[in-house]
Amino acid sequence: MKKHALVVGLGFAGAVLARSLADAGFSVTAFDKRPSIAGNMYEYERSNGVRVHMYGPHIFHTDLKHVYAYLSTFSSFYPYSHRVLGMIDGVLVPIPYNFTSIEKHFSSARAKSIIAKLTSHYPLNSRVPVSDLLRHPDPEIAGLGQFVFEKVFKNYTAKQWGVPADSLDPAVLRRVPVVIGDDDRYFSDSIQMMPLMGYTELFENILKHPNISIQLNSNALQRIHPHSVSGKFLLDGVPFEGPICYTGSVDELFDYVLGALPYRSLELCMEDHAIDLFQSASVVNYPNDESFTRITEFKHMTLQDVPGATTIMKEYPMAYHPGGRLCPFYPIQSDENQNLYRDYLEICGKFEDLFLCGRLAEYKYYNMDAVVDQALSVAAQIRESQRYE
Ligand code: FAD
Ligand code: UDP
């Protein structure tokens, strides 16, 4: 029997680590402070029969074939192409902004001219960051860039992040480019799928292993403490000899000794309605006119047939305060915050058995697929380490 491993957090990072180590013969104790497994992917059924994502809409999309192959061993998946509309100047238009959006916002002659310019400068179906359009020497293309920036990005981003768009890492806005064509899918990845019976069942299958013991409603930091003199972690006061896979926030792990890492949060408001459908797409974004950023209607994603009932979720961006009732959803990407994170990494480096993985522990704006990929790599690193033979 190999050594005992501890896993803190049961989102994708923790669940994949727990399973990979259990498969390799480790005895794994896994904690989550929430009452449920699956982290931010947790899904449940409302009393009206509609399945919802408790922590915001989660769509699986990836170009990493091995990640999809790995997850497919735990669940079947169905194809699902995510489509988003934006309510802009009283008109619903596809987001990412595309040729259809241009035709809905501009006169027919003007739209034709802009589309002709775009197709002469960019390959058809390419996806171009709005910042590239803004810098374009052709005034008509730069003008479109300015229009899209003002109407789609400026106010949504200020709401979502609580700071102006130009003070954020430009990679954040590059997640939603302008499409040179009519493709109205939100993502361009080669694999766009959803787990057949939902994420919670997928996680139950990942964690179904005799070597894994799960403790829910359990803040691991009440039992696990770093001991800097020995460079070990103490479990219930006793030095722990195996790997500690930590997927929570590193500032919390070290009692905020260097200060809190900034996160953005969301107030997620669920509403049940006694109607067939509330809106015409899975997600409608409201960049400008509301205090929420988007409304998700889950039936469009789960493809359930539930007549006369639907559930929607509105997302209200909020500041995150450690110890408060909201979750640390989005690491705020800036140089200053990355420097603080790096200072925490220096402290982590003194603990040889500590392995960080996931959106919180790595302080990265990760999608699910990247987290699974990273968890598989960290698990391989632990399995191959002579330290745990
Ligand atoms: P999490 O899922 O956050 O899991 C971390 C777990 O650790 C939590 O359950 C937490 O309770 C637990 N924990 C923390 N500290 C402790 C402790 N001290 N003791 C015990 N447990 C602890 N990605 C996509 O690919 N597609 C999408 O459509 C998508 N939509 C998103 C929508 C929203 C609103 C948000 C916020 C994120 C979205 N993501 C999406 C990103 C996705 O949620 C993350 O990539 C994923 O959750 C990361 O998994 P994780 O395991 O790192 O973290
Ligand atoms: N964004 C925006 N307007 C939109 C959609 C996105 O300004 O209609 C910006 C916003 O800053 C957002 C970022 O693009 O935070 C990334 O969007 P994405 O949909 O990827 O955000 P997530 O689903 O991760 O919340």
Side-chain angles (χ1 to χ4, degrees):
M1 185 69 170
K2 290 210 182 178
K3 287 198 174 166
H4 189 182
L6 300 179
V7 171
V8 179
L10 281 170
F12 261 131
V16 169
L17 274 157
R19 178 60 186 238
S20 305
L21 295 181
D23 281 341
F26 281 84
S27 146
V28 178
T29 305
F31 305 87
D32 205 296
K33 54 178 151 185
R34 292 181 183 169
S36 50
I37 59 168
N40 287 345
M41 280 64 59
Y42 177 66
E43 201 169 338
Y44 71 98
E45 192 172 295
R46 305 278 289 176
S47 57
N48 63 7
V50 178
R51 247 184 21 238
V52 298
H53 300 183
M54 181 156 172
Y55 299 101
H58 278 77
I59 298 98
F60 183 75
H61 56 100
T62 190
D63 284 321
L64 302 174
K65 291 193 173 56
H66 67 282
V67 166
Y68 176 58
Y70 176 79
L71 295 179
S72 298
T73 62
F74 301 105
S75 171
S76 303
F77 281 75
Y78 60 90
Y80 168 77
S81 294
H82 190 52
R83 288 185 168 80
V84 174
L85 297 172
M87 178 60 86
I88 293 164
D89 289 350
V91 188
L92 281 174
V93 302
I95 303 287
Y97 210 80
N98 67 6
F99 287 179
T100 313
S101 318
I102 294 173
E103 282 157 354
K104 285 191 181 254
H105 272 149
F106 295 92
S107 70
S108 153
R110 184 76 202 288
K112 264 197 189 118
S113 165
I114 297 172
I115 288 170
K117 277 274 172 61
L118 290 172
T119 35
S120 70
H121 283 92
Y122 298 101
L124 198 62
N125 290 323
S126 58
R127 290 181 174 233
V128 182
V130 68
S131 51
D132 285 16
L133 299 184
L134 278 168
R135 284 196 302 265
H136 202 281
D138 185 297
E140 201 166 13
I141 294 182
L144 177 74
Q146 192 60 40
F147 179 87
V148 175
F149 180 75
E150 293 284 334
K151 302 282 185 179
V152 179
F153 290 98
K154 191 173 150 192
N155 297 332
Y156 186 116
T157 298
K159 266 194 283 191
Q160 174 75 4
W161 297 96
V163 293
D166 55 12
S167 69
L168 274 180
D169 179 341
V172 173
L173 299 198
R174 281 204 298 269
R175 288 168 63 94
V176 187
V178 171
V179 174
I180 309 301
D182 293 318
D183 185 359
D184 62 349
R185 293 170 311 153
Y186 202 63
F187 305 111
S188 58
D189 309 59
S190 54
I191 298 168
Q192 306 191 24
M193 294 279 185
M194 294 289 261
L196 189 60
M197 300 312 291
Y199 288 98
T200 305
E201 192 180 289
L202 165 68
F203 273 75
E204 281 164 1
N205 291 338
I206 294 175
L207 293 168
K208 205 180 286 169
H209 193 290
N211 290 357
I212 301 177
S213 138
I214 294 176
Q215 307 202 3
L216 297 178
N217 294 305
S218 181
N219 184 344
L221 300 186
Q222 290 171 352
R223 298 194 46 202
I224 302 170
H225 299 281
H227 184 250
S228 48
V229 178
S230 62
K232 291 267 171 209
F233 274 81
L234 307 181
L235 172 64
D236 300 330
V238 178
F240 185 77
E241 295 302 334
I244 292 143
C245 303
Y246 183 78
T247 77
S249 202
V250 285
D251 52 359
E252 193 181 355
L253 179 60
F254 293 103
D255 213 10
Y256 305 98
V257 62
L258 304 176
L261 282 164
Y263 288 93
R264 202 66 182 150
S265 191
L266 298 168
E267 182 88 71
L268 298 167
C269 297
M270 208 83 84
E271 292 174 17
D272 297 321
H273 292 268
I275 50 175
D276 284 338
L277 280 177
F278 180 89
Q279 61 191 27
S280 57
S282 300
V283 171
V284 176
N285 287 358
Y286 290 82
N288 306 315
D289 301 325
E290 307 285 352
S291 54
F292 50 83
T293 48
R294 58 187 179 189
I295 298 182
T296 297
E297 184 170 29
F298 293 98
K299 274 169 79 177
H300 290 287
M301 291 178 190
T302 59
L303 310 184
Q304 287 169 287
D305 181 21
V306 187
T310 193
T311 301
I312 62 162
M313 174 186 266
K314 293 179 179 162
E315 296 180 33
Y316 295 87
M318 300 275 162
Y320 170 73
H321 302 288
R325 72 189 166 81
L326 297 176
C327 302
F329 280 137
Y330 295 91
I332 301 178
Q333 306 294 292
S334 73
D335 290 344
E336 191 187 347
N337 298 347
Q338 281 307 324
N339 287 339
L340 177 57
Y341 178 70
R342 270 192 288 275
D343 291 343
Y344 272 110
L345 277 190
E346 259 188 50
I347 304 182
C348 295
K350 296 181 183 137
F351 296 85
E352 272 192 81
D353 294 311
L354 176 63
F355 296 87
L356 302 176
C357 185
R359 179 141 147 155
L360 299 172
E362 295 180 66
Y363 201 64
K364 278 195 184 155
Y365 192 178
Y366 265 143
N367 287 331
M368 293 181 265
D369 61 330
V371 171
V372 173
D373 189 35
Q374 183 66 6
L376 291 170
S377 305
V378 173
Q381 195 189 327
I382 296 171
R383 282 196 314 264
E384 285 154 21
S385 161
Q386 292 178 350
R387 203 172 160 78
Y388 304 115
E389 277 174 356

